[in-house]
Amino acid sequence: MERGDPDETGRLSDDLDGLDPEDPEVQAFAAHRDRMQRPNSEATVEGMLRGVDDFAQSVNRADGHRRLVAVGVVVLILLGVLFTIWNAVAFMFTTFLG
């Protein structure tokens, strides 16, 4: 079972009693409830990666201008990372060779 898949034996039988476990909307709602109830400690690497994974999954579900804005945010983050790496490499070269 992958992360985010509904667990028909426990969660669907208790929390979503009377709903069809094969219905995609019920499965999506159950996955949403899992994300909401999951402890999310941002102080750990696992918590930070979980946040990135949630962001990537939500971008994949987005359409239109929301997807464009999310892709723009990712591009800006990558440009910031590249700028920081460029400055660090330039600082090292000027320190050690100049």
Side-chain angles (χ1 to χ4, degrees):
M1 179 183 324
E2 291 186 27
R3 197 177 122 233
D5 288 346
D7 178 18
E8 287 84 13
T9 60
R11 181 177 25 78
L12 285 178
S13 63
D14 294 338
D15 294 340
L16 306 173
D17 192 28
L19 298 176
D20 182 20
E22 301 300 320
D23 185 12
E25 290 183 6
V26 173
Q27 292 175 356
F29 179 68
H32 171 72
R33 285 180 53 97
D34 281 347
R35 286 191 302 271
M36 296 303 293
Q37 293 176 353
R38 182 176 54 208
N40 194 10
S41 174
E42 295 293 329
T44 63
V45 173
E46 291 85 4
M48 291 179 192
L49 291 177
R50 188 178 313 119
V52 171
D53 181 47
D54 289 341
F55 176 75
Q57 288 180 11
S58 66
V59 168
N60 286 334
R61 289 189 305 265
D63 290 331
H65 72 283
R66 290 184 183 191
R67 184 176 183 98
L68 183 64
V69 169
V71 169
V73 168
V74 170
V75 168
L76 287 174
I77 290 170
L78 291 176
L79 286 175
V81 169
L82 289 174
F83 179 74
T84 304
I85 291 172
W86 176 259
N87 280 337
V89 169
F91 177 76
M92 287 189 305
F93 278 132
T94 56
T95 300
F96 295 119
L97 300 177

